Amino acid sequence: MAWASGEGVRCADVRRFGMADPGDVSALRRAIDAGEVDPATIVAVIGKTHGNGLVNDYTRGYLRQSLALLIAERTGRTPEDVVARVPFIFSGGVEGVLSPHYAVFTVAQATAGGPAPSLAVGVAGTPDLEPQDVGRARQIASTADAVRRAMHGAGLAPEDVHLVQVKGPAFGAAEILAAAQAGREPASLHPGTLMAFGRAASALGVASALGEVDAEADLERAVLSDRTVYSRRASVSAGSEIRNVEVVVLGLGAAWRGPLTIGHRGLADALDLAPVMELAAELGLEPAPQVPAAQAARIRAVLVKCEPQRDGMIRGRPHTMLNDGDIDAQRHVRGAVGAIVASVLNDTALFVSGGAEHQGPDGGGLLAVIAERQASPLHGHGFGSAGA
Amino acid sequence: MAWASGEGVRCADVRRFGMADPGDVSALRRAIDAGEVDPATIVAVIGKTHGNGLVNDYTRGYLRQSLALLIAERTGRTPEDVVARVPFIFSGGVEGVLSPHYAVFTVAQATAGGPAPSLAVGVAGTPDLEPQDVGRARQIASTADAVRRAMHGAGLAPEDVHLVQVKGPAFGAAEILAAAQAGREPASLHPGTLMAFGRAASALGVASALGEVDAEADLERAVLSDRTVYSRRASVSAGSEIRNVEVVVLGLGAAWRGPLTIGHRGLADALDLAPVMELAAELGLEPAPQVPAAQAARIRAVLVKCEPQRDGMIRGRPHTMLNDGDIDAQRHVRGAVGAIVASVLNDTALFVSGGAEHQGPDGGGLLAVIAERQASPLHGHGFGSAGA
Amino acid sequence: MAWASGEGVRCADVRRFGMADPGDVSALRRAIDAGEVDPATIVAVIGKTHGNGLVNDYTRGYLRQSLALLIAERTGRTPEDVVARVPFIFSGGVEGVLSPHYAVFTVAQATAGGPAPSLAVGVAGTPDLEPQDVGRARQIASTADAVRRAMHGAGLAPEDVHLVQVKGPAFGAAEILAAAQAGREPASLHPGTLMAFGRAASALGVASALGEVDAEADLERAVLSDRTVYSRRASVSAGSEIRNVEVVVLGLGAAWRGPLTIGHRGLADALDLAPVMELAAELGLEPAPQVPAAQAARIRAVLVKCEPQRDGMIRGRPHTMLNDGDIDAQRHVRGAVGAIVASVLNDTALFVSGGAEHQGPDGGGLLAVIAERQASPLHGHGFGSAGA
Amino acid sequence: MAWASGEGVRCADVRRFGMADPGDVSALRRAIDAGEVDPATIVAVIGKTHGNGLVNDYTRGYLRQSLALLIAERTGRTPEDVVARVPFIFSGGVEGVLSPHYAVFTVAQATAGGPAPSLAVGVAGTPDLEPQDVGRARQIASTADAVRRAMHGAGLAPEDVHLVQVKGPAFGAAEILAAAQAGREPASLHPGTLMAFGRAASALGVASALGEVDAEADLERAVLSDRTVYSRRASVSAGSEIRNVEVVVLGLGAAWRGPLTIGHRGLADALDLAPVMELAAELGLEPAPQVPAAQAARIRAVLVKCEPQRDGMIRGRPHTMLNDGDIDAQRHVRGAVGAIVASVLNDTALFVSGGAEHQGPDGGGLLAVIAERQASPLHGHGFGSAGA
């Protein structure tokens, strides 16, 4: 994580690339080879892959391996070194209209003046966690510490932050049971439930670092228990391809220059249409009701968090997401909220992640959009297509 | 089908009821017992059940049996007689934010004056079909004939029709193979593909009856082959709980009085947000961008058709619905389009049906909304809740 | 439950019937109308339906409604009365080679002499449970009490019992959360996990009634925690279509006459082939290695319990059942163990139920077979086919 | 494909390795580094991965990439060269008790005398196919040609062959539609159905090369149409990670020396238990009824083909596999037949592949087992475990 706070004026860029499958990194390869992306400046990749987004989703690891190989090859580093330096935050599940893609975040020294504040990016990671750490004080504290380091690295104060994207570890049934049998009791023996504990704890860690919760609160006790305690700017996912917690802090920094800005809104529930429109309007995207294609081309990344309301209701009527044994509730809600956001933004390459425990109120969520301030002739629509 | 065209001025009403499970018809029972619904006037029920909406979805048959028993008990008829007289058109799959429900359509002699035209309802059915009829000329012609009879019964001309809701038969693998082995070759041996053939043929039957296609066209040849031939007002589903084709024609009739009106719009693709807003505005529901709850209470039924675009693309980017071996493509698209419509209308009790072959352009769909002209103190929100 | 212990010598019979769908009870209807089954003597029905066997499986309720209507019609009782008197124990999920069916248990006064002991059947039920009772002492004690009453009614001592088939309630996410929010904290907020708690508690109730566990043990504390405490003769499932616990005790009773016998074996794990062969041989079914069709025709019912080994291993290699987000682990294991038993017995109409918590050792299960002592010219193969 | 027929006496070896996920090739890495496997001698890898085995299964490609990287690194070749030389035949779907693994086939000059004939391995590939070739004469002929070349390379006559394992290409919906719209009409527009066409055509190609069918027969016409035409020694799968057809011919060759032998049996249907026992006995594995662990340690690879009977029946009763919209029929049947074979062989690391079109009679399948002739102190159980 090379970009310490004292290094002068920086510029962040974000470009999304499509992929035919999780092994297809041809679009980024072409962009690198065309000089459009300097691989040495890549600080994070956030993406949405083809899998189910649950414990047995191996598409996240496949894309991670594929990108690490490409970036290693083009930078002269080893894949292991690339993985250690660059957070790869992938969420599986492109339900409904969603499109598989990855967004590449780069940070370079600013080469030209420009308006400030601009998009700022900070990254950091925690040490590895074990099953018994998930959902507990250790995960909360280490996540909070990573967020603070990422903010410091980016020169951001808590109030400058628009979104903290977090990826934490997930464990399979066998590892969980092994920990329990060794006397290191995990918070749950159920792999999916333990994933929820992990998302919850990291979200509370973000809330702590951003000062959104009382510094004296017993946050471990609140995990999956007191839903009134939450962050309004955390988006957390989990996956078995990593062992530690990786954080990417996104905000507007006074010491950053560049063409990109970011905004965010909380979503009160899965049908909360108005904030989507408001955020689009705030970014000058002219939703009427849909952002026209010419304006949508300015969008560089969209990050959404959502979850099913736990009482099984929405707007006074029952939903069935939580009782479905065939399709996981998170797949249902990603498809629904993703479609609503896509229909307004006229963009389907959205990062939509389910499981919003302590990331907004019960059943609610979060939306952040990174966009060019105005149409940039240089970068075009910033979306590379897959395949040959 | 008691309501022939000569019987004077009629009034159609529509009320939706929720259900805890497909055996729970307590909400309609209470409405009947409270005198709010006269069971003798029920002419059709259209609903969305908990199942997967595919060949092995038995929730449609379960609700059908449960409603037939209730209506039979309260009208003194046999369940068999009820099923023979009343089309029960159910689509399984309440993906995402959708809520299980059924809409009860009643027709009575108009007891008071009121504005004309008002919501008009006509119903008819075809003889039973066999596997080899599905997707073929016999299904096209018999569906067209049923639509004509339903229009005639309701006193509607083709141009008065806003939506023709159709339910046709589906067959399991064993029945299909048995027909093939007896020399009665079905259009496909794959149960799901044969369902698609059936939806396609009935849609072309509707198009024929409504005069939407050239009367001389070889429609059998167009089935699943020439996607430029389609109806703009057909919504067809299929299920193994029936053997014939049942049609419900909905329109605005000059000889009908009552509080309800209907409107419809075509959807160009799964992200076509503007027509949803336009239709809401046309019905006075004030979307800004979401219909406020007070206005949404006037909505009596919402019927949506949709399907994944067959080239695997949407707005220039790939979707993955058609290649998914875990979640059927129709489940994906119902969850997505249903959420978009729900977010505008502020209503989740939507009938959303996938499989829009020849029901609009490739990847497109249809939206029809039935609503009160103004808030009705008598009927309230017209939605009965389930359970005790 | 009419058959108290003092009523003299009784005869139990069991016949299985296939079904095209959960609403198809035509095979039993024909058997009743042909005088082969006296509907007044039906004391229990145990069956395997088309659904997923999880919380949102409505095929169990559909078959229950369909059978209750038929039996009510043919006995002059109301459906409510039938449901109150006759346990309907259905498990969803006919994975792999399994075939949907239901086994009808009848008890009549013995009309002829015959060998003793013969198959004996006892039934009983508990009061309704609420979410907070599931997995707790109340479920354990009330299940144990019901088992004792069922044994008493059948004149069976604990050592005469071969299998106690139990069905308990399941609750959806909304009901569970409502209980929690009212201060009646359930053992888990996750519907599937709470089902597991319920199976575990009822299994320990059976173990208590059969004297398989120390009478002084703190069984509530053992629930899902101490897997060394278990019953060797309990098979428990759960479903949202009932609110209480229903038990069917099957054994060999000295006061019973009739053509049927029963045997059982424990299964050490999901690959435990030898006990299946041994039990078949014990019943004279001549597995070599497969029971020939002529002998298989003597089989009247097969009841299997199984579950995935919780450490994710089987015979030293990993299985993946517990980490699968697309197919529930119970569906995996039912398909596997069901196929093994079917391949030996040459019979696919097996009741195979997953979730064997405290029903044998971790990863193990149970097999019980009811069969004619010798080929019976009167009863033929005892399997009625579905449809017309 | 380096091993032409004239190169003298060869020795084939097979070792299986487990994996924690499709990116985990640590077990092979350790075996290479320990000198147990010479990476330069690897001629084929056949494995079973964690995915669903359907069109959107990316675990096959992930393992392929991971193995190619490892072998390339350890041999000094490029990954592209490895992939071009070594067939990687992976089938997704470890349903039920099955365990993810890959079997590495090596061929070396025989270093010691030994009994003949011994296991012989031949490999070959076809040129790339396009969607319109799948299921057509071009696929049949090119597969037959590849099989002939592989037999020639291994010095095998058709009667020496026990199994031809084939992997062909699969295409997604978008590619299929693009071909159709360009006038190159594929055999089906449905990705899953086109996979079936491809398996069928390659199976008929094998049948042609092995002389199992009339040389004059119109095999293209028989594809998915005349099920009486089939190979008894073909096992074909398909996946989107390759574009051509790759074949691995396994047999007993007079010019081969080594510790391994192979046998095979046809399976009449999914419950055909006796041939499994017979083959185990033929190989000296002593099934009674289960192969004891000490003998099971001699098993080096097990390859199974199976499919659901198309009339929806098995042994006179209905199965539900073909109508299931939640779990694909091939997943059902793999879990069932895999469990039966595993229960006899006491081995869960089976390659079980569904979709046996023209690979045996309708509903039937194939079983081949490679085993050591006697316990080999050198090779131990030939199964390397995953992880560190």
Side-chain angles (χ1 to χ4, degrees), chain A residues 273-274 276-281 285-293 339-347, chain B residues 271-281 287-290 315 340 343-344:
Chain A
L273 180 62
V276 188
M277 296 272 183
E278 290 165 16
L279 180 56
L285 296 171
E286 302 173 12
Q290 190 171 71
V291 173
I340 293 170
V341 174
S343 76
V344 173
L345 298 184
N346 199 0
D347 191 315
Chain B
L271 290 178
D272 202 7
L273 179 63
V276 188
M277 297 273 183
E278 291 166 14
L279 181 55
Q290 190 171 70
R315 305 278 171 114
I340 294 169
S343 76
V344 173

Side-chain angles (χ1 to χ4, degrees), chain C residues 71-303:
Chain C
I71 296 172
E73 189 180 86
R74 291 300 196 267
T75 57
R77 290 178 182 152
T78 64
E80 293 72 26
D81 186 40
V82 170
V83 163
R85 295 168 61 101
V86 179
F88 291 100
I89 299 185
F90 301 141
S91 163
V94 279
E95 292 83 9
V97 297
L98 300 177
S99 193
H101 72 282
Y102 50 93
V104 175
F105 290 74
T106 54
V107 173
Q109 297 298 329
T111 53
S118 284
L119 177 69
V121 182
V123 300
T126 71
D128 284 1
L129 298 183
E130 296 192 49
Q132 71 273 17
D133 300 322
V134 173
R136 299 260 167 74
R138 182 160 182 244
Q139 183 167 7
I140 299 172
S142 61
T143 302
D145 180 62
V147 173
R148 286 189 200 100
R149 285 183 283 118
M151 286 195 292
H152 179 74
L156 292 172
E159 59 270 24
D160 302 328
V161 173
H162 280 260
L163 182 75
V164 183
Q165 187 69 44
V166 182
K167 180 70 173 270
F171 296 91
E175 290 171 291
I176 295 169
L177 189 66
Q181 289 176 339
R184 297 175 276 108
E185 192 69 34
S188 170
L189 293 179
H190 185 283
T193 303
L194 195 63
M195 280 178 89
F197 269 97
R199 288 188 299 259
S202 280
L204 292 175
V206 174
S208 171
L210 296 185
E212 298 180 291
V213 292
D214 182 349
E216 304 301 308
D218 181 352
L219 295 177
E220 183 177 278
R221 191 188 179 104
V223 169
L224 295 188
S225 157
D226 182 355
R227 300 275 176 151
T228 66
V229 182
Y230 53 80
S231 170
R232 256 307 184 193
R233 289 172 279 167
S235 171
V236 188
S237 61
S240 52
E241 70 280 11
I242 61 171
R243 300 278 109 168
N244 73 334
V245 176
E246 299 180 334
V247 311
V248 179
V249 171
L250 301 173
L252 286 174
W256 294 69
R257 297 291 179 280
L260 302 185
T261 187
I262 184 171
H264 81 278
R265 283 292 185 290
L267 302 175
D269 68 12
L271 290 178
D272 200 8
L273 180 62
V276 188
M277 297 272 183
E278 291 166 14
L279 180 57
E282 174 188 305
L283 297 170
L285 296 171
E286 302 173 12
Q290 189 171 71
V291 173
Q295 296 291 351
R298 289 173 37 213
I299 296 171
R300 291 302 188 83
V302 181
L303 303 116

Side-chain angles (χ1 to χ4, degrees), chain B residues 124-190:
Chain B
T126 72
D128 284 0
L129 298 184
E130 298 192 48
Q132 70 275 17
D133 300 324
V134 173
R136 298 261 167 75
R138 184 160 180 243
Q139 182 167 8
I140 299 170
S142 62
T143 302
D145 180 62
V147 173
R148 286 189 200 100
R149 284 185 281 117
M151 286 195 293
H152 179 74
L156 292 172
E159 59 269 24
D160 302 328
V161 173
H162 280 260
L163 181 76
V164 183
Q165 188 69 43
V166 182
K167 179 69 173 268
F171 296 91
E175 290 171 292
I176 295 169
L177 189 66
Q181 289 175 340
R184 296 175 275 109
E185 191 69 35
S188 170
L189 293 179
H190 185 284

Side-chain angles (χ1 to χ4, degrees), chain A residues 99 271 290 315 317-318 347, chain B residues 99 271 290 317-318 346-347:
Chain A
S99 195
L271 290 178
Q290 190 171 71
R315 306 276 170 116
R317 287 183 182 139
D347 191 315
Chain B
S99 193
L271 290 178
Q290 190 171 70
R317 287 183 182 139
N346 199 358
D347 190 316

